Amino acid sequence: MPQETQQGSHLPDPGKAVYGISVAADLAGIGVQTLRLYERHGLLTPARSDGGTRRYSSDDIARLQRIAKLAATGVNLAGIARILDLEDANANLHSDNDRLRGDNSALRETSQSRSETTG
């Protein structure tokens, strides 16, 4: 069963698309047309309901706020797209690195316990 709320919170899971376009725009502090412009430029891709209605998650809203912040500093949409791509790649690399460190530690522990039992 998918997680419906964060620990002790009444908010939906950050990845769950629950907000309509006008609510998402309000929460992100931007206009609906600006949000549509960002979508047309591929800066974010909201989930769609069975009927085709856009649905935004808390993660999407955080991304919209990041886009708006970059735009406010004068970065053009192509630059924003590149920055977001690099930030996403960096986050993925950090996640992979953390996983590999954990795997490495587990392998060391297994190797160490084997040497102690055979030693």
Side-chain angles (χ1 to χ4, degrees):
M1 178 177 210
Q3 181 183 3
E4 292 182 21
T5 59
Q6 295 174 354
Q7 294 176 336
S9 174
H10 296 355
L11 297 174
D13 179 58
K16 186 172 182 176
V18 295
Y19 303 108
I21 191 167
S22 60
V23 173
D26 280 347
L27 290 171
I30 61 173
V32 171
Q33 292 303 319
T34 302
L35 195 158
R36 287 188 176 123
L37 174 71
Y38 294 161
E39 186 181 336
R40 272 195 307 274
H41 282 272
L43 300 178
L44 81 153
T45 306
R48 297 277 181 160
S49 70
D50 291 339
T53 303
R54 293 171 177 92
R55 290 285 177 225
Y56 298 87
S57 67
S58 296
D59 289 342
D60 291 330
I61 292 166
R63 187 172 180 94
L64 284 168
Q65 291 170 333
R66 178 72 176 130
I67 292 166
K69 184 177 178 182
L70 289 167
T73 64
V75 180
N76 66 26
L77 294 181
I80 292 171
R82 185 67 180 134
I83 289 168
L84 293 175
D85 286 345
L86 290 169
E87 288 176 348
D88 290 345
N90 193 32
N92 288 336
L93 288 171
H94 278 284
S95 177
D96 289 347
N97 201 14
D98 290 343
R99 181 185 49 79
L100 290 169
R101 280 191 178 119
D103 292 350
N104 197 11
S105 292
L107 287 170
R108 280 192 183 122
E109 288 174 17
T110 301
S111 176
Q112 187 177 21
S113 66
R114 283 186 181 161
S115 353
E116 289 171 358
T117 58
T118 59

